[in-house]
Structure formats: C-alpha cells, structure tokens
Amino acid sequence: VTGVTEVSTRLPSLPPREADNLYWFARYAERCEQTMRLMRTVITAFQSVIQFDEPYQQEKLQALRQALSNVTGIPLGFVEPMATGRGAEPSEELSSVITNPELRGGIAFNLKAMLDAVQGVRDPLSSDARYLVNDLQQRLAILKRLSHEHLLETQEELNQLITALAGLAGLVNESMFRGEAWLFWEIGRRLERSLLLVSLFRGTLVLTRPQPVEATLLEAVLRTCDSLMAYRRLHNALPETTAVLALLLSDESSPRALAFQLSRLEKHVAALPRDGKDNPLSEETRLIREASDAIRRVDLNALASSDPATGRREVLDNHLFQVERLLRSASEAVGRDYFTDTRGPRQLLGMEPPS
C-alpha cells in the first residue's frame, strides 16, 4: 500500500560513552541513597547514645560507624583532632561524611559524582526525571552548607534526598524504553546495591556481640535496608541472625535482598548485545551466575554460626568476600566489553581479604 510510513520501535544502539555515563549515573544514585539510609541509622544511634546511659548503645554506635566505614571506604577517625588537643567528636566525623564534597566516598561527593555523570546522559531520561535531577542539584548546595553543630537536624534533609532519589529511580523505570539504556541503568543499580549490601553485612554481622547489642544492631540493619516492617510481618520476635540473613541475603522475593539483586543482574547481563559473538556465555554473565549460585546454595545456619575462639562468623565473612570478588570482576568485565572509559576512577573500595 502506497503512502504508508513504516513505523519502527527499535532504538538505535547506545554509544559506549553514553552507556558508561548511564551505568555510573545509576551506580552513584544507588550509592547515594543507600549511604544516606545508613547515615540516617547512624545518626539515630548517635542520638540514643546522647539520650540514654546504656553501654550497649555505645557499642551499637561503634558497630554502625564501622559499617559506614566499610560502605564508604572512609576510615574511622579521619577527622583531625581539634586545636585544643581533644579528639574529634563523632558529630564532626559524621557531618564531614555528609557535607564535604571533596571527601571521596562521602554523601556530598557521591551526589556530585552522580550529577556529573548524568550530564553525559541525553535522550533516555524523561523531562520529569530531569526536573528531579535539577532539584537534587539544589539540594546538594544546601547539603554542603550544613554544620556538625546541627547534625541531628540533617536527618530531615537526608529524608528529602532519599525520597528524591527513590522518586528518580521510579521515574526512570516508568518512562525509559526497555532497551540498552535501561539495561545499563538496571545493571548499574543492581550491581551497586549488591556490593553495598555485602559491605553492610561484613561491617555489622561478622563479629558476634552480646545479645542486647546484637538484637538492636540487627534491627538497625533491617531499618537501613527498609525491611524492618517486612521482618515484623514474618516474625513475631526480636531480630535474630539466621532470620535476618534469610530475608536480606537469600530471599529472591524481597526487593532489598542480595539474592533479588543477583537474579536481576543475571537476567539483565544475559540480555546485553553480544556483537555476533559465538559464545553466548560472556565473562560477566559467568561471574554473575557464579555469584548468584553461591547465594542460592547457601546454608544459613552455617553462615550464622560463629567460631567460639574468635567470636567471628568466619564462614559468612569468607562467603561474602567471594561474592564481592565475583561482582567486582563482573563490573570490570562489563567495562571492558561495553565502555570506552575503563580507567575506573569511580571505584570506592579496594579488594581486601577477610581478616
């Protein structure tokens, strides 16, 4: 029939540089949101230490600060002592992690890096998503002006930032074509959330603690992962290590669980274009599948048990380390196969063997 225009919904292939920016935009967005969630939990614990004279509150705060160090790659005690000779207050340290845009791994640094990456992302983002990006740019300026003297008040600013980032993720998922751009966005998000979960678990669950500390720390982990209400619907009891691991590590039906992230990663990485290569099992596919299989086959009771001599859950630590190693190798493989810029300046954490 003459005069009929052929309509195609097939999107053009994504340029490598734009794929790279989109992937890191997603990773930094996830990194910002999850670090803010953890920081919000740490500030709440800090407030409890001030209000309640209970020894286990101080131990919980120390454990959460260590988890924050694991997740951000920022060592504890990085703030210089004051000129008076006294040590830096925890509020100064936490405030610097939130507000200092030059502190690699901190919240302001990650938010700025996310906004820098999104500048290289053109067509895939909707106008509403662009509006939220502009809003986040303004919120970054506010964040940098906050003072450690008003640390507790920064929680409201963190709440608004978390809501904005969650809204951005929702807009991208609701408006972006399910093509290459969306695949790189999803791979970046799921990979980053997986690595952050591993860092959080290694910082909070490997070392066993007295029961009151352990219970409140597990509750803090659930709250950080936005899974406390889900846990309470499943268990009419205080948080317990095996049950928390079941929910946050191996439950593929829980959107916050590591197993959920890995199952999505496995599916999305397998859908990436292969440029006519004969072998459908790419290196990144093999690595993600290996990590996913390791979580599916996990023995939760073995992971929750500890060595009486050291008080550590060595099986859990070793297992998480192996999953982290596979995920970092998969990230490098994706970079080599699809991006032009593989210098890796955005890497936060170096590979460290379990201690």
Side-chain angles (χ1 to χ4, degrees):
V1 180
T2 60
V4 176
T5 303
E6 183 179 350
V7 177
S8 173
T9 58
R10 182 175 177 82
L11 296 176
S13 180
L14 199 65
R17 177 70 69 179
E18 188 163 350
D20 185 21
N21 285 324
L22 189 57
Y23 171 81
W24 281 106
F25 165 46
R27 288 196 63 170
Y28 272 122
E30 189 67 26
R31 193 175 293 178
C32 286
E33 182 183 340
Q34 301 312 317
T35 306
M36 288 175 194
R37 289 183 182 277
L38 178 55
M39 177 60 78
R40 193 169 57 180
T41 304
V42 175
I43 293 174
T44 300
F46 179 63
Q47 190 173 20
S48 296
V49 168
I50 295 173
Q51 291 179 341
F52 305 108
D53 185 19
E54 296 172 334
Y56 73 87
Q57 294 287 354
Q58 183 66 52
E59 189 170 347
K60 182 182 81 170
L61 175 60
Q62 182 62 20
L64 288 171
R65 287 177 65 214
Q66 183 60 61
L68 185 65
S69 178
N70 278 26
V71 167
T72 62
I74 302 170
L76 291 176
F78 66 91
V79 176
E80 291 294 328
M82 301 291 285
T84 57
R86 66 174 178 85
E89 294 290 337
S91 60
E92 297 172 54
E93 180 179 79
L94 298 177
S95 179
S96 186
V97 174
I98 296 170
T99 64
N100 186 353
E102 305 302 320
L103 182 61
R104 180 175 292 273
I107 289 173
F109 178 94
N110 289 336
L111 190 54
K112 181 179 183 300
M114 185 205 81
L115 293 168
D116 288 343
V118 79
Q119 298 307 313
V121 178
R122 298 187 297 276
D123 298 336
L125 293 184
S126 68
S127 57
D128 286 339
R130 291 282 180 188
Y131 175 84
L132 267 181
V133 168
N134 292 336
D135 179 65
L136 286 166
Q137 186 78 57
Q138 295 173 21
R139 292 192 179 279
L140 174 60
I142 296 172
L143 197 67
K144 291 189 289 187
R145 293 197 297 267
L146 296 176
S147 166
H148 78 272
E149 296 172 353
H150 304 95
L151 177 65
L152 302 182
E153 287 127 27
T154 62
Q155 279 195 312
E156 181 55 35
E157 189 60 36
L158 292 177
N159 289 339
Q160 294 180 21
L161 280 164
I162 290 168
T163 301
L165 286 165
L168 179 61
L171 279 172
V172 170
N173 273 326
E174 287 299 314
S175 60
M176 190 179 289
F177 259 82
R178 284 349 188 216
E180 288 180 32
W182 181 78
L183 284 174
F184 285 116
W185 161 265
E186 268 289 287
I187 289 169
R189 284 188 68 216
R190 302 303 173 185
L191 184 59
E192 188 65 29
R193 187 176 293 186
S194 297
L195 287 168
L196 292 171
L197 281 170
V198 169
S199 295
L200 177 63
F201 296 157
R202 293 187 77 190
T204 54
L205 304 182
V206 169
L207 184 65
T208 58
R209 295 173 172 86
Q211 197 280 332
V213 180
E214 188 101 335
T216 58
L217 186 58
L218 288 169
E219 182 175 316
V221 170
L222 288 165
R223 193 181 299 278
T224 298
C225 296
D226 199 22
S227 299
L228 183 57
M229 296 308 297
Y231 185 90
R232 287 175 174 169
R233 285 195 296 270
L234 294 168
H235 306 281
N236 187 24
L238 290 173
E240 185 267 335
T241 305
T242 304
V244 170
L245 287 173
L247 178 63
L248 295 181
L249 193 73
S250 61
D251 190 344
E252 290 193 28
S253 67
S254 171
R256 295 286 176 179
L258 181 59
F260 183 94
Q261 316 313 317
L262 294 176
S263 67
R264 295 301 186 273
L265 266 174
E266 190 175 352
K267 177 182 177 181
H268 297 328
V269 169
L272 288 173
R274 300 291 167 210
D275 293 332
K277 295 177 182 177
D278 294 333
N279 183 10
L281 190 63
S282 64
E283 182 183 1
E284 54 269 18
T285 303
R286 178 185 61 78
L287 291 163
I288 295 296
R289 186 171 297 177
E290 189 176 341
S292 188
D293 288 345
I295 294 298
R296 290 191 183 106
R297 296 193 308 266
V298 76
D299 181 345
L300 292 175
N301 289 323
L303 295 186
S305 63
S306 60
D307 184 343
T310 64
R312 290 171 54 85
R313 297 184 175 96
E314 299 290 357
V315 176
L316 175 63
D317 197 25
N318 290 330
H319 200 79
L320 291 172
F321 172 75
Q322 294 304 323
V323 170
E324 180 182 358
R325 178 184 59 81
L326 291 166
L327 291 174
R328 293 199 183 283
S329 297
S331 176
E332 293 172 3
V334 169
R336 285 194 302 270
D337 286 351
Y338 295 99
F339 308 145
T340 55
D341 182 4
T342 58
R343 294 170 295 172
R346 306 173 177 89
Q347 190 74 16
L348 267 181
L349 305 176
M351 184 68 67
E352 293 182 0
S355 55

